[in-house]
Amino acid sequence: MQRTYFSQLLKGEWNFLTDEEIGDITLSMGYEGDCHLGVFKECNIVWLDHSRVDVNQKSLDNFSTKRFDILKNSGLKKNDKDGFFKKLSQYIRGLEDNNAVPSNRDAKFANTIIEYVKQNNCSSGIVVVGSNHASNKDSMMRYLLEQEGYDCFVKLL
């Protein structure tokens, strides 16, 4: 897993972060599909990206470094303890809002959820995705689900 390395990078850059805070940040690396388990232990996991083929091993191997570079480019200083998480969240949300462009992945995600709901007669579910996919912009996953009559309540973390 890359979270150990990611944690080391975070601690080296912002040594005032507690182990718990670093743990929270490392959960933003959703590639392992386990970031929800601390809150929703009993949920079935449905892989939305199960058919993705455009990811190569090198991309996966460098994911933690790339994620760290994004955080490091936030402009937060090594001693910027006051309001750290608020500033970091604002920076990340700004990136995501500016880059929210629908892709075929949004349609695949929505279709995967719709099929799972139909096959398993679900009355509710929890979806953990990046905020771009949870956007209500035209053709994003959330938008597509709402167009099919699903109620989507979004909580950005």
Side-chain angles (χ1 to χ4, degrees), residues 53-71:
V53 294
D54 63 338
V55 177
N56 60 44
Q57 190 60 45
K58 185 176 180 183
S59 294
L60 292 175
D61 291 343
N62 293 325
F63 188 69
S64 59
T65 303
K66 289 178 183 176
R67 177 61 59 100
F68 176 72
D69 288 343
I70 290 170
L71 301 182

Side-chain angles (χ1 to χ4, degrees), residues 12-16 72 75-81:
E13 186 68 20
W14 298 293
N15 63 3
F16 58 83
K72 191 173 177 181
L76 290 166
K77 307 295 183 226
K78 286 186 178 255
N79 59 354
D80 204 355
K81 186 174 184 176

Side-chain angles (χ1 to χ4, degrees), residues 21-157:
E21 290 169 333
I22 288 174
D24 289 344
I25 296 171
T26 62
L27 289 177
S28 71
M29 292 180 56
Y31 268 43
E32 288 85 1
D34 61 355
C35 56
H36 68 284
L37 293 176
V39 180
F40 306 108
K41 294 175 178 60
E42 303 299 321
C43 289
N44 292 334
I45 296 174
V46 179
W47 290 98
L48 301 179
D49 238 353
H50 64 278
S51 62
R52 189 170 183 185
V53 294
D54 63 338
V55 177
N56 60 44
Q57 190 60 45
K58 185 176 180 183
S59 294
L60 292 175
D61 291 343
N62 293 325
F63 188 69
S64 59
T65 303
K66 289 178 183 176
R67 177 61 59 100
F68 176 72
D69 288 343
I70 290 170
L71 301 182
K72 191 173 177 181
N73 288 329
S74 67
L76 290 166
K77 307 295 183 226
K78 286 186 178 255
N79 59 354
D80 204 355
K81 186 174 184 176
D82 292 332
F84 178 82
F85 280 97
K86 183 177 181 179
K87 292 174 187 174
L88 186 62
S89 293
Q90 288 171 336
Y91 173 74
I92 292 170
R93 293 235 170 87
L95 286 177
E96 292 173 341
D97 289 344
N98 292 330
N99 294 320
V101 177
S103 71
N104 63 346
R105 291 177 67 213
D106 287 284
K108 286 180 182 177
F109 288 5
N111 288 332
T112 299
I113 292 167
I114 291 166
E115 287 304 311
Y116 186 87
V117 167
K118 287 178 183 175
Q119 291 173 4
N120 295 280
N121 199 24
C122 300
S123 60
S124 63
I126 299 159
V127 180
V128 180
V129 293
S131 63
N132 285 352
H133 301 297
S135 168
N136 61 355
K137 291 182 180 179
D138 187 20
S139 299
M140 301 303 278
M141 181 196 74
R142 172 184 169 192
Y143 174 88
L144 296 171
L145 289 169
E146 288 175 338
Q147 293 300 303
E148 290 293 320
Y150 293 91
D151 293 322
C152 298
F153 303 95
V154 176
K155 174 71 175 163
L156 298 175
L157 303 175

